[in-house]
Amino acid sequence: ADAKRAMGFFSAAEGLYAKVVGAARGAAESAMRAEAALGSASGLRALGKTAAASRRLSLARAAARSAGLSGFDARLALEEALVLRAAERYAPAVSRLRPLLAGALRRRAYDEAAFLLWAIGGARRFQGRLAEAEDAFRRSLRLARRAGDPAGQGYALFGIGGAARVRGDLSGSERAYGKAGRLFA
C-alpha cells in the first residue's frame, strides 16, 4: 500500500490500507493499524476525501496511543494539518504547520522545512495573501537548495510561478515554471 501511494496510485493503495486496517486486531497489531490508517489518511487526502481522511487519522491516533507510539505524534500532526489544508481550512492549517516548521528549522531538517513552507505558501495563495505565499515559496526554494532536494526546489518554483501568475506577472511566472520544468526533466 505504501509503495502504491508513493507512486501516486492512491485508490489502489486505499484498498490495501483498508484491508490492513480491517484485519489488524488487538494490541499486538495496533502499530500496524496505526501505520496503515496514517497511510490511508494521506492517500484519502490526496484524493480530496478529507472527511474520510479525518476519520482515518482518528483511528491512527487511537491505534498509536494503544501501541505506545509517542513518536507518531509529529507524523499525525503533519497529516492533520495537511488534511485541514486540503479541506480549504487554510488558517487552522497554517496555525498547525507553523510550529512544525519551527521544529524542523531547530533540527536543521531543511528538506522538511522546505516542504512545510511550500504547504504554508499554498495555503496563503489560496487565501489570496499572495505576498506571503510568494515569500514562503522563496524561503522553501532556498531551503530545498540547501538540502540538495531538486524535487523540493521544483515544487517551490511551481508555487512561485503560480503566485506570480495570479498577481499578473506572466513573465515571472513563465520563468519560475521553466526553471521547475528543467529541474523535473
Side-chain angles (χ1 to χ4, degrees):
D2 282 346
K4 287 200 179 286
R5 181 174 52 89
M7 292 186 299
F9 299 117
F10 302 116
S11 293
E14 179 52 31
L16 295 170
Y17 283 129
K19 287 180 183 179
V20 174
V21 167
R25 300 274 186 246
E29 294 183 345
S30 55
M32 184 185 315
R33 190 169 47 255
E35 287 286 349
L38 181 60
S40 173
S42 178
L44 289 166
R45 169 182 50 82
L47 291 169
K49 298 178 179 181
T50 56
S54 292
R55 288 190 298 274
R56 284 287 199 234
L57 285 171
S58 294
L59 176 63
R61 185 170 294 287
R65 192 176 314 115
S66 172
L69 300 175
S70 60
F72 215 66
D73 291 344
R75 291 174 58 202
L76 283 166
L78 173 60
E79 192 57 41
E80 287 167 345
L82 294 176
V83 168
L84 286 169
R85 182 178 176 268
E88 300 177 2
R89 296 188 56 214
Y90 302 120
V94 170
S95 292
R96 291 184 183 206
L97 290 166
R98 285 194 181 283
L100 298 173
L101 172 61
L105 290 170
R106 268 193 309 277
R107 293 188 318 278
R108 293 187 170 97
Y110 299 121
D111 55 342
E112 182 181 333
F115 172 79
L116 291 163
L117 280 162
W118 170 84
I120 289 168
R124 291 301 190 212
R125 178 180 162 213
F126 290 126
Q127 287 177 305
R129 297 165 70 167
L130 299 178
E132 290 177 56
E134 198 162 344
D135 178 60
F137 290 135
R138 289 191 185 285
R139 289 178 60 204
S140 174
L141 177 60
R142 285 192 301 273
L143 289 173
R145 281 184 183 141
R146 189 169 187 177
D149 178 6
Q153 292 172 55
Y155 279 108
L157 285 162
F158 278 144
I160 292 166
R165 181 180 45 77
V166 173
R167 276 191 301 101
D169 176 9
L170 298 183
S171 63
S173 177
E174 184 178 14
R175 276 191 310 277
Y177 285 146
K179 288 178 186 176
R182 287 187 293 280
L183 278 168
F184 284 119

